Amino acid sequence: MSDPTRPARRGRLARSAAALAALLGLASYVAFHQVTGSRGTPRCSVGSGDNRYTFTPDQASNAATIAAVGTGRGLPERAVTIALATALQESALRNIEHGDRDSLGLFQQRPSMGWGTPAQILDPVYSAEKFYAGLEKVPGYSRLPLTVAAQKVQKSGFPQAYAKHEPDAALLAAALTGRSPAALSCTTGDPDGVPGDPERVRAELVRAFGKGAAPETVTGGPGAGRSAAGPPVLLVPVRAARGAGAAPGAGEDERRGWELAQWAVARAGTLRITEVTFGDRSWRAGEGRGGWSKVSGALATDGESVRVRLAS
């Protein structure tokens, strides 16, 4: 006599096997992308574990510009945190050409309210300078709640909205001012054959950090002579690039070095940067998780400069 429950059991077993196969497939997919760093999707991250903020290379480039303008003015990390939280709320760190009424750019500044011309406001360096100029006029801004300090500059209709971005802004500011070494990394994909322009990188460094950040151009890789063939390599001086408000000393030099190094990583996609090295840590474009690796010997730097290699 046949068992009437057997077909039902076979059906349940088949469904269970299919569900298990789907779960195994999902686990394999997640594991693969954790190992490869989703090379097909350029991304950046700052922080670690649960305290991590993930964003796009374009957002990273804008965040790095905002931070560099702030430290270039000799402002403290708190000012950079306020500026980054404001830009996260106003534009999600995107240099957008639209907004409420005539608002534009990273901080959604309005030409009609005297912030500048549309072309000026859409220049990230200019718009960041204007924000910091307004912040510096706020008495005791560094001791105020972030929402209060930002609102006194922005005069937003939703001032409390800035608060939710403070944790991510603090992570970004700690990395981009150099206080958190090797905290910001990006996966930008393998070089696609478009070469980097040393003069453009030099101009961006000088504009962001001042003439003291003007790099020396070296041809060839680590250990190669200056006449050796190879991709363009820039050596960015650390001590000469120190901001006006920074105190001298080895610790401050190290912090400035990490500020320059993480600025270069954040701007790697737009400036065609393929490798950044400071001290015994190096970041390389196209590597699986886009993190920083330990290096030694000729691959390391002496701590007095940041080595930036461009695509060739």
Side-chain angles (χ1 to χ4, degrees):
M1 184 176 178
S2 62
D3 182 354
T5 65
R6 186 174 297 170
R9 286 201 300 269
R10 282 201 298 266
R12 287 196 297 272
L13 287 172
R15 288 193 295 273
S16 297
L20 179 61
L23 285 172
L24 289 173
L26 177 61
S28 298
Y29 175 87
V30 171
F32 172 79
H33 283 280
Q34 285 180 335
V35 172
T36 62
S38 300
R39 294 183 188 182
T41 305
R43 60 181 176 82
C44 297
S45 66
V46 63
S48 60
D50 293 335
N51 192 29
R52 179 184 294 272
Y53 172 58
T54 302
F55 50 120
T56 69
D58 182 58
Q59 290 172 303
S61 180
N62 289 325
T65 297
I66 291 170
V69 170
T71 58
R73 296 174 71 98
L75 298 179
E77 183 181 328
R78 179 62 175 171
V80 175
T81 299
I82 295 168
L84 288 169
T86 302
L88 279 164
Q89 169 59 27
E90 297 291 356
S91 67
L93 285 172
R94 292 182 171 89
N95 196 25
I96 52 180
E97 299 183 9
H98 56 83
D100 179 46
R101 287 170 285 189
D102 59 339
S103 299
L104 297 168
L106 292 170
F107 295 92
Q108 288 292 278
Q109 294 156 336
R110 297 179 59 192
S112 64
M113 299 300 291
W115 287 96
T117 67
Q120 287 175 324
I121 292 171
L122 288 170
D123 173 1
V125 172
Y126 174 92
S127 63
E129 291 277 12
K130 292 292 285 186
F131 177 84
Y132 286 121
L135 186 63
E136 288 178 286
K137 295 176 182 177
V138 179
Y141 70 83
S142 63
R143 299 186 299 275
L144 294 174
L146 186 145
T147 53
V148 175
Q151 174 65 1
K152 285 184 178 294
V153 180
Q154 295 293 105
K155 298 177 175 58
S156 167
F158 305 96
Q160 295 305 315
Y162 299 118
K164 64 177 179 285
H165 300 289
E166 185 167 0
D168 294 335
L171 284 175
L172 281 168
L176 291 169
T177 62
R179 182 169 63 82
S180 295
L184 186 147
S185 62
C186 295
T187 56
T188 60
D190 296 316
D192 56 10
V194 178
D197 181 354
E199 291 306 315
R200 183 186 175 195
V201 178
R202 178 179 287 104
E204 292 289 332
L205 277 164
V206 170
R207 191 170 188 224
F209 295 101
K211 292 181 180 179
E216 174 190 5
T217 302
V218 180
T219 304
R226 281 165 168 69
S227 62
V233 175
L234 304 180
L235 297 179
V236 186
V238 170
R239 182 161 297 180
R242 191 189 296 123
E252 199 59 47
D253 285 346
E254 182 178 6
R255 179 165 178 165
R256 174 54 56 143
W258 278 112
E259 178 180 2
L260 292 163
Q262 293 181 115
W263 175 92
V265 171
R267 303 222 52 203
T270 56
L271 296 178
R272 318 300 305 163
I273 293 170
T274 60
E275 184 177 325
V276 179
T277 305
F278 179 58
D280 64 351
R281 304 295 291 274
S282 186
W283 168 90
R284 295 180 181 87
E287 288 197 348
R289 303 191 70 171
W292 293 83
S293 303
K294 284 270 190 179
V295 295
S296 60
L299 296 177
T301 71
D302 56 10
E304 295 183 0
S305 63
V306 176
R307 187 171 61 239
V308 177
R309 181 180 298 194
L310 307 184
S312 59

